Amino acid sequence: MSGHSKWSTIKHKKGAADKKRAKVFTKLIKEITVAARMGGGDPGANPRLRRAIDSAKTQNMPKDNVDRAIKKGTGDMDGVNYEEILYEGYGPGGVAVMVECLTDNKNRTIADVRYIFNKAGGNVGTDGCVAWMFDKKGVITISKEHADEETLMEVALEAGAEDIKDEGETFDVLTAPEDFDAVKDAIDGAQIPCEVAEISMVPQNTTAVSGKEAEQMVRFMEALDDNDDVQNFYTNADIPDEAFDAM
């Protein structure tokens, strides 16, 4: 399992106990606002907005917060105009990293992102330097406590999923981005709870890191996650479970 997949699952499990809950809400509000600005305020006609609202629901965000974010995006309320930026680079051990940001100040954001990379012994690269190593996919992570492989294959593959991967304690259902909503609806309809459901950048191959580099990688991901302008990040690092134990 890539470092990003492990990170997404761990963040979900921390859930309401996470002291960074307000920071999570801030990032979700940004995503809802931008999604509504780009595709309109109707989640039925705006898949990105629908996914953002679903993510907000899993974090128990109050409906008023969601409604205000949509209105800011559609222009019905005053709000900040955020810009989407993608940075690519290399983390500890030379692993590939992609960082998606939403910002109202590009200069601040690139300075912060460069600092985080440099502190971890990595560096921000040029556009396209690592993007070719990733494929855009829908990823739906399901605990083995909630579904066996045969049931999941019957539900997900029939709905259009491309593959189901055994990741130890979980299954990852992979879809083409355009089939994500149909597969997610089918899984929800079968009353199978999802730990993570998102459009992600899935690495074609992973690079193993261990020891000090693995610990550096976890601290690096924590620093990215703590930054208000960073919405998502993806890596091809294969990180051993023990490196996450201190989280």
Side-chain angles (χ1 to χ4, degrees), residues 28-107:
L28 287 168
I29 287 168
K30 278 188 180 182
E31 175 61 17
I32 292 168
T33 301
V34 171
R37 188 188 77 209
M38 296 182 67
D42 178 9
N46 184 343
R48 179 173 174 175
L49 178 60
R50 178 184 174 186
R51 290 191 292 270
I53 293 173
D54 285 345
S55 295
K57 287 179 179 177
T58 65
Q59 294 294 333
N60 296 316
M61 180 184 285
K63 187 175 182 298
D64 286 348
N65 294 34
V66 174
D67 291 342
R68 282 197 298 271
I70 292 173
K71 288 178 180 178
K72 288 177 180 179
T74 57
D76 295 326
M77 288 179 64
D78 291 337
V80 178
N81 190 23
Y82 296 109
E83 182 177 358
E84 294 183 284
I85 309 174
L86 175 67
Y87 297 109
E88 303 175 43
Y90 303 92
V95 300
V97 182
M98 300 178 67
V99 182
E100 294 177 345
C101 298
L102 287 176
T103 181
D104 59 348
N105 186 327
K106 289 176 63 175
N107 293 332

Side-chain angles (χ1 to χ4, degrees), residues 5-42:
S5 294
K6 287 181 181 177
W7 184 269
S8 296
T9 303
I10 288 169
K11 280 196 355 179
H12 173 84
K13 287 180 177 178
K14 289 172 74 177
D18 197 328
K19 294 179 181 178
K20 300 175 183 176
R21 191 168 185 78
K23 193 176 290 287
V24 172
F25 277 15
T26 297
K27 294 189 179 189
L28 287 168
I29 287 168
K30 278 188 180 182
E31 175 61 17
I32 292 168
T33 301
V34 171
R37 188 188 77 209
M38 296 182 67
D42 178 9

